[in-house]
């Protein structure tokens, strides 16, 4: 496999991503939407998730497609970002048809960034407006690192951020990942600049350093955050035609990429989850073999996207953590 032309989830035709952020707030919103509704599912592995409308994505539920997915900062306040996205979709005439009414389907998930030094003393929840702005900004190209929902993200030792990556398979199918890295764990090995995700790196996309020659002896990390303060939330997507059960399996497989790139992952203190999306544009030639390869690609893309998020993070006034780029070589 090789990266798509942008090395972003938007290498999948028909998908668009928008970011909006408030530097004073040190928080923001990222929205994935499409030219038309897409099939979606979700799988949660963390012990402290914050979500909206995710039950709709279960394989046995009526609604089979979503109009957008929202990743937001702000903890539970950030779930209101979905309201702004719904308003934008409604204005565009989008949504699940119930008679003459249309109801936009906008599941979302949040990360906790309320203690990152930003000004959180608002009198009106800022996230609906940020969600609307992110939706309006959606396009094929978007920033990663300190952007969108990754604006105020942190990890166990470094600034986190927003990451994305893509892969084109030999079959011609494309897989992509989009992630907000706000983890309790670390993306780097010990005190080094080397990323845990190094074995899956393509084209030196996060420094090309490989794994360290010597690993630290102590592999018993201590929590750097408290209950509810950490979460990594992600979307994996493909143009391969997958239904909701197959997408739920794809999301489950993608969690392997999170565990490869963040140590530790899926703790009781994290709210780790993965959405999975299919545009349905490319029929499966061999459902068994293709599903196997798609799961592997989704996990690899997510691991790479996590490392790219941390690698791309940039400093801002009042940061409580250093950026990867400021570590000594």
């Amino acid at each position: 496999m090789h990266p798509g032309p942008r090395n972003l989830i938007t290498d999948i035709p028909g998908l668009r991503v928008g970011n909006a952020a408030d530097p004073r707030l040190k928080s923001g919103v990222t929205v994935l939407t499409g030219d038309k509704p897409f099939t979606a599912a979700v799988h949660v592995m963390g012990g402290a998730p914050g979500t909206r409308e995710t039950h709709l994505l279960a394989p046995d539920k009526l609604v089979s497609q979503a109009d957008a997915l929202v990743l937001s900062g702000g903890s539970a306040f950030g779930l209101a970002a979905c309201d702004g996205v719904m308003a934008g979709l409604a204005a565009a005439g989008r949504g699940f048809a119930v008679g003459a009414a249309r109801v936009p389907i906008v599941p979302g998930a949040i990360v906790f960034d309320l203690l990152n030094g930003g000004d959180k003393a608002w009198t009106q929840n800022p996230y609906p407006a940020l969600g609307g702005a992110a939706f309006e900004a959606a396009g094929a190209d978007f920033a990663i690192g300190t952007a969108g929902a990754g604006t105020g993200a942190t990890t166990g030792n470094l600034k986190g951020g927003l990451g994305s990556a893509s892969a084109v398979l030999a079959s011609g199918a494309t897989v992509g990942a989009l992630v907000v890295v706000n983890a309790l764990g670390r993306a780097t090995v010990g005190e080094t600049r080397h990323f845990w995700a190094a074995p899956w790196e393509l084209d030196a996309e996060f420094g090309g350093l490989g794994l360290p020659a010597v690993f630290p002896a102590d592999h018993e990390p201590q929590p750097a955050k408290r209950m509810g303060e950490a979460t990594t939330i992600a979307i994996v997507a493909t143009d391969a035609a997958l239904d909701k059960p197959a997408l739920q399996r794809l999301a489950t497989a993608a969690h392997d990429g999170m565990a490869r790139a963040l140590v530790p992952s899926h703790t009781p203190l994290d709210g780790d989850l993965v959405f999975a999306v299919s545009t349905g544009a490319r029929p499966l030639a061999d459902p068994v073999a293709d599903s196997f390869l798609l799961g592997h690609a989704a996990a690899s893309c997510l691991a790479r996207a996590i490392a790219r998020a941390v690698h791309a993070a940039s400093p801002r006034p009042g940061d409580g953590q250093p950026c990867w780029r400021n570590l000594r070589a």
Side-chain angles (χ1 to χ4, degrees):
M1 71 179 72
H2 60 85
R6 298 181 183 86
N7 201 14
L8 299 172
I9 196 171
T10 48
D11 285 328
I12 298 165
L15 293 184
R16 294 176 280 117
V17 171
N19 288 328
D22 182 336
R24 192 169 61 89
L25 188 67
K26 274 188 177 288
S27 189
V29 175
T30 297
V31 174
L32 175 81
T33 189
D35 296 338
K36 59 182 181 179
F38 43 71
T39 308
V42 68
H43 190 259
V44 180
M45 286 282 284
T51 62
R52 169 167 160 162
E53 298 278 44
T54 50
H55 279 68
L56 279 178
L57 304 183
D60 63 335
K61 298 301 183 287
L62 172 66
V63 175
S64 62
Q65 295 186 312
D67 296 291
L69 296 174
V70 174
L71 307 179
S72 180
S75 189
F77 298 103
L79 293 174
C82 298
D83 293 340
V85 178
M86 286 187 70
L89 287 161
R94 297 274 300 270
F96 181 74
V98 184
R102 287 191 171 271
V103 181
I105 305 301
V106 186
I110 50 85
V111 298
F112 184 98
D113 59 6
L114 298 179
L115 301 177
N116 63 3
D119 181 5
K120 307 303 193 295
W122 62 73
T123 57
Q124 182 175 349
N125 189 328
Y127 288 96
L130 286 168
F135 175 74
E136 293 299 328
D141 294 303
F142 60 95
I144 64 171
T146 305
T151 296
T154 60
T155 73
N157 62 329
L158 298 170
K159 280 191 73 171
L162 181 73
S164 192
S166 68
V168 180
L169 309 187
S171 67
T174 301
V175 174
L178 179 70
V179 62
V180 180
V181 183
N182 190 61
L184 181 146
R186 297 184 174 201
T188 52
V189 182
E191 302 305 319
T192 75
R193 302 175 81 239
H194 299 263
F195 287 96
W196 287 108
W200 292 273
E201 185 175 14
L202 298 178
D203 298 343
E205 62 195 331
F206 42 88
L209 300 178
L211 290 170
V214 179
F215 280 76
D218 183 5
H219 283 291
E220 296 186 12
Q222 298 300 312
K225 301 182 181 183
R226 292 168 291 189
M227 181 74 75
E229 288 186 14
T231 288
T232 297
I233 51 178
I235 303 168
V236 294
T238 181
D239 55 0
L242 301 178
D243 59 15
K244 286 173 74 175
L247 283 170
Q248 190 175 66
R249 176 49 49 187
L250 188 74
T252 304
H255 275 287
D256 289 352
M258 199 178 294
R260 293 170 188 171
L262 293 167
V263 179
S265 288
H266 306 136
T267 76
L269 309 182
D270 288 281
D272 299 341
L273 67 78
V274 178
F275 292 106
V277 164
S278 169
T279 64
R282 181 178 290 273
L284 299 182
D286 182 335
V288 175
D290 287 354
S291 295
F292 169 81
L293 292 171
L294 289 168
H296 168 67
S300 299
C301 276
L302 183 50
R304 293 164 47 216
I306 288 168
R308 293 191 76 207
V310 176
H311 179 262
S314 54
R316 296 291 188 274
D319 282 349
Q321 289 183 311
C323 295
W324 178 89
R325 65 180 63 186
N326 298 130
L327 294 180
R328 290 186 178 181

